[in-house]
Amino acid sequence: MEKVADIASDIGEYIRQQRSNAKISLRQLSKLAGVSNPYLSQIERGVRKPSAEILQQIAKGLRISAEALYVQAGILDLPTGGPVGDAIRADTELTERQKQVLLDVYESFRRENAAAKPTQAADAKPEDPAAESKETA
């Protein structure tokens, strides 16, 4: 039972933090998300654990990805992406939108480099093996 309480507390704290970063009051978020003010307050304080549907409404109100809230709530596993992706996702100074943009740029660079590897390897091979042996001798 403690684990459920911890998850509820964690998701509530995360929602409060995102709301604070977005400079939205509790009352404003409750209107944007279509959730009652007292219920949203209970979620933020860790008294209630919201359903996936409520999390989706809150995410919409905060203009962040529902996936981010699902991960925080333990509904989804944290996406893989190595240490760089983990560091970006863990940074509390960035908004969810900023994190997603950074992750998208990072992944595009990785895809570009992976696509260029076969041509880089071909470019590195000497055309005349005899010429290479003369240079090293």
Side-chain angles (χ1 to χ4, degrees):
M1 189 68 175
E2 283 181 39
K3 185 163 174 97
V4 172
D6 288 345
I7 290 172
S9 176
D10 289 348
I11 187 63
E13 179 59 35
Y14 183 77
I15 290 169
R16 179 182 287 129
Q17 182 182 46
Q18 293 302 310
R19 183 175 58 77
S20 175
N21 289 346
K23 296 180 177 32
I24 298 173
S25 72
L26 186 72
R27 184 165 285 148
Q28 288 171 318
L29 180 57
S30 72
K31 285 182 182 177
L32 290 169
V35 177
S36 75
N37 196 31
Y39 183 58
L40 185 57
S41 175
Q42 290 174 348
I43 292 170
E44 284 193 0
R45 290 181 285 128
V47 175
R48 298 275 190 129
K49 183 173 187 264
S51 67
E53 183 179 324
I54 296 296
L55 286 174
Q56 186 174 19
Q57 290 173 238
I58 292 170
K60 185 177 177 183
L62 288 170
R63 294 186 173 200
I64 63 173
S65 73
E67 180 184 60
L69 289 181
Y70 294 158
V71 167
Q72 287 294 320
I75 295 171
L76 286 178
D77 291 331
L78 186 65
T80 59
V84 174
D86 292 345
I88 291 170
R89 286 184 199 91
D91 192 326
T92 58
E93 298 295 314
L94 300 174
T95 66
E96 285 303 313
R97 174 141 169 63
Q98 291 168 333
K99 290 176 187 181
Q100 191 57 55
V101 168
L102 281 173
L103 289 167
D104 290 346
V105 170
Y106 177 67
E107 285 305 316
S108 73
F109 286 149
R110 288 178 49 94
R111 282 191 303 273
E112 183 179 309
N113 290 345
K117 276 187 180 179
T119 59
Q120 287 174 350
D123 291 345
K125 292 181 184 175
E127 292 179 27
D128 183 5
E132 184 185 57
S133 65
K134 289 178 187 173
E135 290 176 10
T136 58

